Amino acid sequence: MQFAQRLQPLQSNVFADMDRAKASALAAGRQLIDLSLGSSDLPTEAHVLEAIAKSLYDRSTHGYLLFYGTQAFRQAAADCYEQKFGIKVNSETEVLPLIGSQEGTAHLPLALLNPGDFALLLDPGYPSHAGGVYLASGQIYPMPLLAENGFLPVFADIPAAVVAQSRMMVLSYPHNPTAAIAPLSFFQEAVAFCQQHNIVLVHDFPYVDLVFEETRGVGNSFSQSHSLVPSILQADPEKSVSIEFFTLSKSYNMGGFRIGYAIGNAELIKALRQIKAAVDFNQYRGILHGAIAALTGSQAGVTNTVATFRQRRDAFVNALHRIGWQVPIPQATMYIWAKLPSPWQQNSVEFCTQLVKKTGVAASPGAGFGKSGEGYVRFALVHEPHLLETAVEKIAEFL
Ligand SMILES: Cc1ncc(COP(=O)(O)O)c(C=O)c1O
């Protein structure tokens, strides 16, 4: 059988190697403490589950959902943006429901790139951003993220020839995997750069709510905003070049339900809708009902989720510091991005493979997120503090 060339870059994936290492640790009888996946272990709120459960017995929800989702869902998304960021959004033309935000960010390049066109991506970055560019036969220009720049890219470093052939840039702050946050001034710089060079600005925004209180004053300086970190639309209120992706996976612990939305420039929303129309029939209406309950109901669950991840962050970072592994204290996300000690500084895959084999503690190698991620490891705080502390004890023995 002959397969398309675009399949090739999708085949080699260090996370698949990690899955094999995890499986062999389990087969060897080790207790696995899996900190390698950013899949929340916290429960979905009861009022959300009830809305979905009620829908299941309502026959009107059982057919195809046409017309790009429901007006009620799009309105709930638009209202959220007005409340959180002071941004007015047209729910008819500027919102699109998605089957998880990954689906949207992976499909968008099909609407923007001709074969060979460049996409400017964060390095390290979320793997499906690159995956979508490969599907569209585009080229990736990785923008290196360095600790000394606060893990923000430097636009002036992008070669002019690449800029000239670039059709999209993908940002994502609070950032997975580095946990960095970006100030509004950085987004304003990104918008100006993209406007100047006729580049579409994509912002993947899953960790908008997973931000810790001490960030106040650092992230978002916009007085109308109730969010601790800025939306790209605050830097581009006319929505001239920007589209943002939100997911209910993190804020509402709904990863398995597959629901998110795109919001922003109406032409971009329309183009993504046209790509999706060739691929899917939207998420199930019952899940949309659950998402509306999540977005419009009490936000106490979000506050609890943030408090839980903050407590876990403190437990894990303090334990690492006690064993002499100095890591910065992240202000957002559910991750710890740790620079590897010697002799592992240039071999994060080997570190993670050996760690899980010998101790059962699974982490994600920095190299899996891009070349500039080498020398780092990402721990996802998806277990209770006592298990996180046990993991650090095992890491200490391993080191
Ligand atoms: C940056 C980023 N984008 C997207 C996703 C996936 O979101 P969804 O569940 O909505 O597809 C994740 C999940 O970890 C993520 O970290």
Side-chain angles (χ1 to χ4, degrees):
M1 238 179 274
Q2 217 173 351
F3 292 95
Q5 280 169 2
R6 73 175 61 84
L7 194 59
Q8 239 158 32
L10 301 176
Q11 281 167 342
S12 60
N13 179 342
V14 300
F15 297 113
D17 298 344
M18 276 307 297
D19 284 343
R20 276 191 288 280
K22 276 190 269 182
S24 66
L26 272 177
R30 298 225 175 276
Q31 182 210 357
L32 196 64
I33 306 181
D34 194 348
L35 308 180
S36 68
L37 277 182
S39 178
S40 177
D41 58 315
L42 301 176
T44 308
E45 289 280 289
H47 67 279
V48 175
L49 297 177
E50 278 156 22
I52 297 170
K54 227 168 96 189
S55 307
L56 285 174
Y57 295 95
D58 173 358
R59 280 182 55 183
S60 72
T61 70
H62 295 177
Y64 288 130
L65 176 53
L66 303 174
F67 311 118
Y68 54 100
T70 64
Q71 162 63 15
F73 177 85
R74 293 194 303 274
Q75 194 58 53
D79 290 347
C80 264
Y81 262 63
E82 182 151 8
Q83 279 157 23
K84 257 189 182 152
F85 305 111
I87 300 278
K88 282 213 183 309
V89 174
N90 182 326
S91 61
E92 271 308 306
T93 57
E94 295 177 335
V95 183
L96 182 66
L98 299 169
I99 305 172
S101 64
Q102 176 160 321
E103 178 262 295
T105 52
H107 275 143
L108 186 64
L110 289 169
L112 298 177
L113 302 179
N114 285 316
D117 285 344
F118 272 104
L120 307 169
L121 302 189
L122 300 180
D123 171 21
Y126 188 62
S128 84
H129 298 164
V133 177
Y134 292 133
L135 290 182
S137 303
Q139 293 194 71
I140 292 169
Y141 180 83
M143 300 185 288
L145 305 185
L146 307 179
E148 57 262 40
N149 298 327
F151 295 112
L152 300 176
V154 179
F155 303 133
D157 289 349
I158 307 168
V162 171
V163 174
Q165 219 187 320
S166 294
R167 299 289 166 264
M168 61 186 287
M169 174 192 285
V170 184
L171 301 177
S172 185
Y173 292 94
H175 184 234
N176 175 12
T178 67
I181 56 171
L184 184 61
S185 57
F186 168 77
F187 283 169
Q188 285 163 336
E189 197 193 325
V191 169
F193 180 87
C194 289
Q195 283 171 335
Q196 183 189 347
H197 298 289
N198 197 19
I199 293 171
V200 167
L201 183 51
V202 180
H203 187 230
D204 194 9
F205 205 23
Y207 301 100
V208 45
D209 295 313
L210 292 197
V211 182
F212 309 118
E213 186 63 21
E214 60 263 28
T215 306
R216 194 171 286 286
V218 181
N220 200 349
S221 50
F222 242 39
S223 55
Q224 299 101 304
S225 179
H226 292 132
S227 169
L228 292 173
V229 287
S231 155
I232 204 77
L233 300 186
Q234 285 173 264
D236 185 11
E238 304 297 320
K239 310 182 193 85
S240 63
V241 289
S242 309
I243 182 167
E244 190 155 74
F245 290 83
F246 175 74
T247 174
L248 283 92
S249 298
K250 312 294 175 183
S251 308
Y252 302 100
N253 304 310
M254 292 180 71
F257 292 95
R258 313 307 303 131
I259 180 73
Y261 57 82
I263 192 158
N265 177 283
E267 280 181 89
L268 293 171
I269 292 289
K270 184 175 167 197
L272 181 55
R273 203 163 67 212
Q274 286 166 340
I275 295 289
K276 274 174 62 63
V279 179
D280 66 62
F281 269 120
N282 300 301
Q283 182 49 278
Y284 165 56
R285 196 187 288 263
I287 303 287
L288 263 62
H289 289 165
I292 294 167
L295 294 171
T296 61
S298 161
Q299 299 300 297
V302 182
T303 309
N304 287 340
T305 295
V306 176
T308 301
F309 281 114
R310 187 178 175 189
Q311 201 187 15
R312 292 175 179 190
R313 173 201 70 173
D314 291 343
F316 194 74
V317 168
N318 288 339
L320 281 180
H321 288 176
R322 279 198 297 276
I323 67 163
W325 191 345
Q326 295 306 322
V327 296
I329 302 171
Q331 294 175 339
T333 78
M334 55 206 283
Y335 307 111
I336 303 294
W337 185 240
K339 203 171 170 64
L340 283 165
S342 63
W344 305 100
Q345 273 150 341
Q346 281 314 311
N347 208 341
S348 56
V349 174
E350 185 64 12
F351 173 85
C352 290
T353 313
Q354 292 300 327
L355 181 69
V356 72
K357 270 192 188 152
K358 295 195 172 145
T359 68
V361 176
S364 291
F369 299 96
K371 201 162 144 245
S372 302
E374 185 53 289
Y376 286 86
V377 61
R378 189 199 75 176
F379 298 101
L381 303 172
V382 291
H383 287 294
E384 298 290 330
H386 72 93
L387 259 187
L388 294 173
E389 282 163 352
T390 306
V392 175
E393 282 164 26
K394 291 180 181 227
I395 291 169
E397 282 166 32
F398 173 77
L399 288 174

